[in-house]
Amino acid sequence: MNEILLRSLTPSVLGILVRRGADFAAAEDAVQDALVEAVRVWPADPPRDAKGWLVTVAWRRFLDATRADAARRRREDLVDEEPAPGPASAVDDTLQLYFLCAHPSLTPSSAVALTLRAVGGLTTRQIARAYLVPEATMAQRISRAKRTVSGVPFDRPGDVATVLRVLYLVFNEGYSGDVDLAAEAIRLTRQLAAAIDHPEVAGLLALMLLHHARRPARTAPDGSLVPLAEQDRGRWDTESIAEGVEILQAALVRDRLGEFQAQAAIAALHADAPTVEETDWVQIVEWYDELVRLTDSPVVRLNRAVAVGEADGPRAGLAALAALDDSSASSRLRSSGGDPIPRHTAVAAYLHERDGDLTTAARLYAEAARKASNLAERDHLTRQAARLNAGG
């Protein structure tokens, strides 16, 4: 059974049902039923036309469900319109499904769940396990999301930037449960890139490939985090790096720079350095300057401070960090309590250590550990504090 084939056909099959008159929520349920049936039937009796088979079965499941619906009169009109079996429509509605699943009316968590289900073809159970929530909770989240977008016209133009943010959220979840969400995000972004010619879609795909290429070296055998500077670069996936760089270069020559292209350019410079000492930090700072211009994000400014510290020395990095602390954006975040920017304290600790102030660095590493959002990061920062307290 080719699970990847099934999931790749999901958006086009769903689009066909919606264009035939099915509402989105009912059509999505019918497609999921058809996928389950395919898993049961295909190993012994594979169809000649996989997409056509799924459309036929999904449409019949939709009709079976609607016959029992209270609006019987309206739905029975659709029974008379059932198309004869045959090749499925060649119209590709993948892009419209991406737009619908990332509709502005949805919360980010709902958009992610709906995208994985309707576009990615994952089951509710798989999505729930990936996000470490009960299946019933995820089912409710997906049902609410489907109800929210059911009234949205299917052919309404959408916002590419919103879709990209949703896909990046999926990618950053990494791996949990029985689904590799990073790999799934790459697959969905490839699918989106095939549906729309947009430099930022290419930029996001390049960024994902470049980050994913370093994945084998990010953790030690005991599961602890390995910082970029300490990673074994021989374990990086050179094929993914080469593909990411090629995609990025093709996007950049179009001279329509966006934030994902700029982030990918930074990742490419890290990937291009044979050793950490050979990293082109000056050029990385220049790309962060572009990102600041594009986003004015405090998180980008924080990462820029690290790059400045590498390019011009830790004192310069601390000065950039101080300038960030004085910025209005940082002040707004600080007013909400806690660390004003994720990883701010950890960056301050690193720069103070580079500057030779080990006492302050140890205190800040310990403080950053208490604020860490996940166990692996907390353990790493705790070890850094312990190392300095023990005298290096």
Side-chain angles (χ1 to χ4, degrees), residues 157-354:
D159 179 26
V160 173
T162 302
V163 174
L164 296 182
R165 284 194 291 272
V166 168
L167 292 174
Y168 199 39
L169 284 173
V170 176
F171 179 79
N172 284 329
E173 286 296 327
Y175 176 86
S176 56
D178 59 355
V179 177
D180 186 337
L181 288 176
E184 180 65 13
I186 291 172
R187 185 184 74 83
L188 292 176
T189 306
R190 285 189 191 278
Q191 193 168 271
L192 179 61
I196 183 172
D197 182 16
H198 193 294
E200 271 292 82
V201 176
L204 178 59
L205 178 56
L207 176 63
M208 289 178 174
L209 289 168
L210 290 163
H211 278 320
H212 203 55
R214 302 203 300 262
R215 178 173 171 176
R218 281 203 189 101
T219 54
D222 63 0
S224 60
L225 287 178
V226 180
L228 176 61
E230 301 173 19
Q231 289 176 14
D232 177 2
R233 299 183 178 220
R235 298 182 63 196
W236 290 359
D237 182 348
T238 54
E239 289 187 8
S240 291
I241 290 172
E243 183 186 6
V245 169
E246 182 179 358
I247 292 170
L248 173 63
Q249 289 174 337
L252 289 175
V253 297
R254 301 176 65 175
D255 199 24
R256 290 169 55 193
L257 184 65
E259 64 174 295
F260 287 117
Q261 294 169 74
Q263 288 187 55
I266 293 168
L269 286 167
H270 283 298
D272 187 55
T275 65
V276 66
E277 293 79 14
E278 295 173 86
T279 304
D280 189 345
W281 286 107
V282 172
Q283 193 172 350
I284 287 175
V285 171
E286 292 173 354
W287 277 110
Y288 272 122
D289 289 340
E290 291 287 350
L291 263 176
V292 169
R293 180 182 62 81
L294 289 165
T295 68
D296 195 27
S297 161
V299 175
V300 170
R301 290 182 181 274
L302 179 68
N303 291 331
R304 180 185 179 277
V306 176
V308 168
E310 300 291 350
D312 301 327
R315 293 285 175 90
L318 287 167
L321 195 62
L324 169 61
D325 292 340
D326 293 337
S327 71
S328 59
S330 180
S331 298
R332 288 194 300 273
L333 287 169
R334 191 183 298 108
S335 66
S336 63
D339 222 354
I341 308 166
R343 296 183 57 252
H344 180 281
T345 306
V347 167
Y350 173 75
L351 290 172
H352 277 289
E353 180 183 359
R354 287 282 315 282

Side-chain angles (χ1 to χ4, degrees), residues 349 352-353 357-368 381 384-390:
H352 277 289
E353 180 183 359
D357 186 353
L358 303 188
T359 301
T360 299
R363 176 178 58 79
L364 290 172
Y365 275 130
E367 181 183 338
L381 292 168
Q384 296 298 92
R387 172 178 57 82
L388 294 184
N389 285 326

Side-chain angles (χ1 to χ4, degrees), residues 121-175:
L122 297 179
T123 65
T124 301
R125 176 175 296 180
Q126 287 175 312
I127 301 169
R129 286 178 176 174
Y131 282 90
L132 305 178
V133 300
E135 185 175 350
T137 300
M138 184 58 69
Q140 291 174 355
R141 183 181 302 173
I142 292 171
S143 293
R144 286 195 299 268
K146 289 195 291 187
R147 287 196 301 269
T148 299
V149 301
S150 283
V152 177
F154 188 62
D155 55 355
R156 176 173 294 177
D159 179 26
V160 173
T162 302
V163 174
L164 296 182
R165 284 194 291 272
V166 168
L167 292 174
Y168 199 39
L169 284 173
V170 176
F171 179 79
N172 284 329
E173 286 296 327
Y175 176 86

Side-chain angles (χ1 to χ4, degrees), residues 98-107 111 148-149 152-153 156 162-163 166:
Y98 276 97
F99 288 151
L100 189 64
C101 293
H103 194 267
S105 61
L106 296 173
T107 64
T148 299
V149 301
V152 177
R156 176 173 294 177
T162 302
V163 174
V166 168

